[in-house]
Amino acid sequence: MNKIIDPHLHFFELNLGHYQWLQEANPPFWPDKHKLRQNFHEEALTLNPNTMLAGFVHIEAGFDNVQPWREIAWLESSCSLPFKTVAGIDLTLKEESFKDHINQLSQYSSVAGCRHILDEHAYALLCQENVQHNLAFLAKNHLSFDLQMPLSDKIAVDLLIQILKSLPSLRLIINHAGWPPIASMKTDMQTLQAAWQQWQSNLEALSAFQHCAIKCSGWEMMNRQYQSQWQFDIIAQCIHAFGDERVMLASNFPLVLLKQDYHALWEHYFKLELTQTQITALTYANAAHWYQFNRD
């Protein structure tokens, strides 16, 4: 029996939350986004009989960007499996407002960390003094930060490295393998190769920080038709850089459904050429550790 903790998924309750990004008029402008415009709860996490879902980490899904604790309250009132949450947070808030938000979120036992999606705005955001102060406040309050940005962005990663040096107690968890480059019809091979080399270099640089881990997921967001070999190569690169204890495999449910069934992704992960000890670490133990499932 394979026991897993899925460290990156989202649930939707459309009649309660805002979910601005799911609306047709707002980005991302995916032609298949309408498939996500429905309610998703833990009952939809179906697995094969040889796999048991022992818990999960819910990552903020744009339920309410102004009052992120509303999403946490909904989850804590409706979920039955063991779980932790990564709440939405606005890193650009002024110091007092940010502290108020964190204090409010800290009232909920499931909250293990926060996320502000940086992506292409990473450098502009990380440059801001109050953003850096707010990251320090997260660390002070023993909350991790889920980082979503491309590791091929050299200038932003260089700045991030300086921040990590100054905040050795901040647990940083990279989302979606740091958006590794993938070939597309719009990408020439020279540009792709340069981006790939930059991603690899920055992956290695960030792995030097022992308070930094990485999650491998979001494959379908990069390319609906991605190849298994590309996916396995990314996972292998992450393990090579971060080791067996700082890499997690995740689903990104329900977005995974844009490519394949939930159970199919996990069966695919179990086909990786890894030892049983490594598989257990990447699909269960590391998530339990990094998201503090054993914390009182």
Side-chain angles (χ1 to χ4, degrees), residues 4-7 9 52-57 81-83 262 284 293:
I4 68 172
I5 293 176
D6 187 342
L9 55 72
M52 181 185 79
L53 184 63
F56 60 84
V57 181
L81 286 168
F83 73 98
Y262 184 73
Y284 176 79
F293 271 76

Side-chain angles (χ1 to χ4, degrees), residues 151-152 154 157-158 161 194-207 237 241:
L151 298 191
S152 54
K154 184 180 186 305
V157 173
D158 286 347
I161 286 171
W196 175 258
Q197 290 175 351
Q198 191 63 66
W199 175 84
Q200 283 183 301
S201 175
N202 286 334
L203 188 77
E204 293 285 347
L206 289 171
S207 72
Q237 288 284 338

Side-chain angles (χ1 to χ4, degrees), residues 231-247:
Q231 179 193 46
F232 284 2
D233 286 346
I234 298 299
I235 295 171
Q237 288 284 338
C238 290
I239 295 172
H240 175 75
F242 281 83
D244 297 342
E245 296 182 351
R246 292 189 287 146
V247 178

Side-chain angles (χ1 to χ4, degrees), residues 41-87:
H41 303 141
E42 67 180 8
E43 293 79 12
L45 303 175
T46 56
L47 292 164
N48 290 343
N50 64 334
T51 306
M52 181 185 79
L53 184 63
F56 60 84
V57 181
H58 184 278
I59 311 298
E60 61 86 19
F63 185 103
D64 187 333
N65 294 333
V66 177
Q67 301 178 90
W69 46 86
R70 290 188 58 238
E71 182 175 46
I72 310 304
W74 165 63
L75 291 164
E76 292 195 357
S77 68
S78 60
C79 295
S80 58
L81 286 168
F83 73 98
K84 292 293 183 179
T85 55
V86 172

Side-chain angles (χ1 to χ4, degrees), residues 131-151:
V131 167
Q132 296 180 22
H133 287 164
N134 289 339
L135 286 171
F137 190 73
L138 284 183
K140 182 179 178 180
N141 283 268
H142 310 291
L143 293 171
S144 59
F145 180 67
D146 263 50
L147 175 87
Q148 183 169 311
M149 60 170 279
L151 298 191

